[in-house]
Amino acid sequence: MFLKDTSGQLQSFFSAPFFQVKHLWSSYIDLQKVKEENQVLKAQLAELENEMTTYREALIENRRLKQLLEIKEKTPWNSIVAHVVGTDIAPWRAVLTIDVGKVDGLAEDMPVLCQGGLLGRIIDTSMHFSKVMLVTDYHSRIAAIVQRNRARGILKGDGARGCILDYVKKGVDIQSGDVIITSGLDGIFPKGLLVGKVKLVGPGEKSDLFQYIGVEPTAKINEAEEVLVLLKPLNTEK
Amino acid sequence: MTPAAVFLFLVYLSLIVESTWCILCSSHFLHLDAIPALICWLALKSEPIPGTVSVIVAGLIAALFSSLPFYLFPVSYLMAFFTVYLVRANILEMPYLQAYFFTGFVSVEILVVQLSGSGNPELLWPWEMVQALLNMVFAPPVFWVCDRCLKGLTKVMARFKHER
């Protein structure tokens, strides 16, 4: 009996450090596993974050394309979607490069739209790329009318300031917020395309015949990534 | 020929970058433009004939990236090239510090020709001066990149000759 108890005591005395070391070892192994698991989870998290960014980007692109589709459905013209790939190296020219060209049926003077309204027109085409002169370019001229009272004018590009509706006589009632649309008289743009809103009306100089009308384009010019090029009226194909 | 090759390669690269990434980092009309500094560097390193030819080629390539009349680029670039080349050849041996100042000067020259030629002379003041200053500040890193490229290309060509 005594021998059994003594042996038991000795066993427990000698086995205690062994179990402690074993416990320590298994803790270390667990920690290693946790570390590895942590690394794998971190990698998975990064991957998921990346995927989420891609989905978010696709969602935003989808929204933009839906808006373009709405414009496409409203217009009776054939149209083609293009992506903006570059800009003019002369920074005072508001000109963009898009990734469609002659092989896609593009030609000079075709109107280009984006979310919000009219963006500009094609001024140069190569086989696979084209240049679009924006409505804000200093050389841009568009025949336009004020939607509310049908007052005619010429919409000139004014660089970063937007546009100016020129040749509207003094005394014609123009108010801030009036909507400007294309008149179709220039033979380039179809009638009724939304171009911008009046942001500033002034009498100009005393000697001026016409009033000063500052116009803010409704198209999101600086954010344009996808654009819609109007090819030709559907009814002319028949 | 080697400086001309380096020049043409870097002009093409900077045109690609300017016409794509500069949408993101331009403010109003101001943007990073490496071309005036590249022309200055070429005028310091190159002989007149290969320099002239490569500047004309660079101008024609630049015209592809713009809607300005195509002849404005070769003309303005040639004027800038000869301004620096003639000063270097006939008046003084130009150290880099002076070349940086000349970058600002030829930027004004290039912009005067391009803005007047494209029918927008009203934009000359004050934007052009600020752009010229920006180009001047941007010149030292451009010169550094050019020198590295020239050194690398010379080494490669020497090794190629040696192997042959």
Side-chain angles (χ1 to χ4, degrees), chain A residues 41-86:
Chain A
L41 286 172
K42 267 185 183 171
Q44 276 177 351
L45 188 72
E47 208 174 292
L48 284 172
E49 268 176 4
N50 198 17
E51 229 167 86
M52 213 165 90
T53 314
T54 314
Y55 287 140
R56 200 174 294 149
E57 194 59 31
L59 192 77
I60 295 167
E61 193 180 2
N62 190 21
R63 262 184 225 152
R64 284 199 307 262
L65 288 172
K66 256 187 189 169
Q67 284 172 339
L68 277 184
L69 200 67
E70 277 170 26
I71 303 170
K72 198 174 175 174
E73 281 165 1
K74 278 179 197 166
T75 171
W77 290 37
N78 270 335
S79 56
I80 184 169
V81 175
H83 295 90
V84 176
V85 292

Side-chain angles (χ1 to χ4, degrees), chain A residues 171-232:
Chain A
V172 176
D173 173 36
I174 306 288
Q175 288 165 12
S176 184
D178 274 348
V179 173
I180 309 294
I181 56 170
T182 53
S183 68
L185 294 175
D186 48 23
I188 294 173
F189 301 100
K191 190 177 178 178
L193 291 178
L194 178 62
V195 188
K197 281 182 179 170
V198 174
K199 65 173 175 184
L200 188 71
V201 187
E205 297 288 313
K206 269 188 180 176
S207 56
D208 288 349
L209 289 173
F210 309 107
Q211 49 186 316
Y212 174 87
I213 304 166
V215 175
E216 181 78 54
T218 43
K220 291 170 183 170
I221 286 171
N222 293 326
E223 295 157 31
E225 287 178 51
E226 290 91 17
V227 298
L228 195 71
V229 185
L230 300 186
L231 296 174
K232 55 184 176 179

Side-chain angles (χ1 to χ4, degrees), chain A residues 86-89 91-92 131 139 160, chain B residues 19 28-29 64 66-67 118 120:
Chain A
T87 180
D88 200 300
I89 54 163
W92 61 94
K131 286 197 171 110
H139 295 264
Chain B
S19 64
H28 201 57
F29 288 146
L64 298 176
S66 178
S67 55
S118 65
N120 298 101

Side-chain angles (χ1 to χ4, degrees), chain A:
Chain A
M1 201 65 167
F2 171 75
L3 196 65
K4 268 185 183 174
D5 280 345
T6 313
S7 304
Q9 290 289 346
L10 280 171
Q11 273 177 326
S12 100
F13 178 76
F14 279 104
S15 64
F18 172 75
F19 282 116
Q20 268 179 358
V21 169
K22 194 183 168 189
H23 178 70
L24 210 67
W25 180 250
S26 67
S27 296
Y28 171 73
I29 295 291
D30 285 348
L31 211 64
Q32 278 296 105
K33 276 182 189 166
V34 167
K35 194 183 166 188
E36 277 168 21
E37 208 173 35
N38 194 21
Q39 275 172 348
V40 171
L41 286 172
K42 267 185 183 171
Q44 276 177 351
L45 188 72
E47 208 174 292
L48 284 172
E49 268 176 4
N50 198 17
E51 229 167 86
M52 213 165 90
T53 314
T54 314
Y55 287 140
R56 200 174 294 149
E57 194 59 31
L59 192 77
I60 295 167
E61 193 180 2
N62 190 21
R63 262 184 225 152
R64 284 199 307 262
L65 288 172
K66 256 187 189 169
Q67 284 172 339
L68 277 184
L69 200 67
E70 277 170 26
I71 303 170
K72 198 174 175 174
E73 281 165 1
K74 278 179 197 166
T75 171
W77 290 37
N78 270 335
S79 56
I80 184 169
V81 175
H83 295 90
V84 176
V85 292
T87 180
D88 200 300
I89 54 163
W92 61 94
R93 294 300 309 267
V95 174
L96 297 176
T97 308
I98 54 172
D99 63 351
V100 287
K102 280 179 186 165
V103 289
D104 306 287
L106 262 69
E108 281 180 22
D109 286 340
M110 284 180 169
V112 181
L113 310 175
C114 74
Q115 299 102 301
L118 184 67
L119 185 71
R121 67 184 167 94
I122 304 285
I123 53 164
D124 189 24
T125 52
S126 64
M127 291 311 282
H128 299 284
F129 294 92
S130 303
K131 286 197 171 110
V132 181
M133 181 163 73
L134 307 185
V135 290
T136 53
D137 188 89
Y138 289 103
H139 295 264
S140 168
R141 301 286 184 272
I142 299 166
I145 50 172
V146 180
Q147 196 175 36
R148 183 172 56 83
N149 58 8
R150 319 309 284 178
R152 280 185 198 159
I154 300 289
L155 194 79
K156 291 178 174 177
D158 196 24
R161 286 185 292 271
C163 303
I164 297 169
L165 186 65
D166 215 348
Y167 305 117
V168 178
K169 279 182 187 167
K170 282 182 177 174
V172 176
D173 173 36
I174 306 288
Q175 288 165 12
S176 184
D178 274 348
V179 173
I180 309 294
I181 56 170
T182 53
S183 68
L185 294 175
D186 48 23
I188 294 173
F189 301 100
K191 190 177 178 178
L193 291 178
L194 178 62
V195 188
K197 281 182 179 170
V198 174
K199 65 173 175 184
L200 188 71
V201 187
E205 297 288 313
K206 269 188 180 176
S207 56
D208 288 349
L209 289 173
F210 309 107
Q211 49 186 316
Y212 174 87
I213 304 166
V215 175
E216 181 78 54
T218 43
K220 291 170 183 170
I221 286 171
N222 293 326
E223 295 157 31
E225 287 178 51
E226 290 91 17
V227 298
L228 195 71
V229 185
L230 300 186
L231 296 174
K232 55 184 176 179
L234 282 173
N235 52 13
T236 58
E237 280 183 349
K238 289 172 190 172

